[in-house]
């Protein structure tokens, strides 16, 4: 199909922290664009995605917390309560909402 086709891998410097995660996802997974090679069934569509971070603020240990995709990246990073940072890097996990993988990670199974 036609549309914007993001090059893989994406280079972090191409985005500004004032942009939202939704801006990033829309660029990587355009609604009418070509799916990345690894998304064989085309399930990664921007309107079907959920972004999570690992939070350590839970009394039961680490858990996945859904991130507000419309918030600027800088806001997510500043207000990410208990956000797990490893080696100065925050990992955003992107899932197809309610997929088997999403549900298994949310439930911790």
């Amino acid at each position: 199909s036609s549309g914007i086709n993001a090059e893989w891998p994406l280079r972090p410097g191409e985005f500004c922290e004032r942009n939202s995660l939704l801006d990033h996802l829309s660029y990587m997974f355009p609604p009418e664009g070509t799916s990345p090679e690894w998304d064989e069934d085309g399930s990664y569509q921007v309107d079907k995605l959920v972004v999570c971070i690992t939070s350590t603020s839970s009394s039961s240990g680490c858990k996945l917390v859904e991130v507000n995709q419309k918030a600027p990246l800088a806001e997510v990073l500043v207000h990410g309560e208990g956000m797990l940072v490893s080696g100065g890097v925050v990992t955003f996990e992107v899932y197809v909402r309610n997929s088997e993988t999403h549900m298994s990670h949310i439930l911790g199974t």
Side-chain angles (χ1 to χ4, degrees), residues 51-83:
V51 179
C52 299
I53 58 167
T54 300
S55 173
T56 59
S57 64
S58 170
S59 60
S60 61
C62 294
K63 69 174 189 171
L64 282 180
V65 177
E66 189 170 337
V67 173
N68 177 0
Q69 296 180 35
K70 294 180 181 178
L73 182 56
E75 184 179 312
V76 171
L77 294 174
V78 170
H79 298 293
E81 197 172 313
M83 185 182 309

Side-chain angles (χ1 to χ4, degrees), residues 2 10 13-14 17 23 27-28 34 36 43 49 54-56 58-59 61 65 76-77 80 84 96 100 109:
S2 63
L10 294 173
E14 295 177 357
E17 62 193 19
D23 292 334
Y27 176 78
M28 295 186 299
T34 304
S43 58
L49 302 178
T54 300
S55 173
T56 59
S58 170
S59 60
V65 177
V76 171
L77 294 174
L84 181 65
V96 175
E100 184 178 330
T109 60

Side-chain angles (χ1 to χ4, degrees), residues 2 16-18 27 29 39 47 50 59 88 90 92 103-104:
S2 63
C16 175
E17 62 193 19
R18 291 183 301 269
Y27 176 78
F29 306 104
D39 184 18
D47 60 336
V50 59
S59 60
V90 174
F92 293 94
M103 298 312 294
S104 70

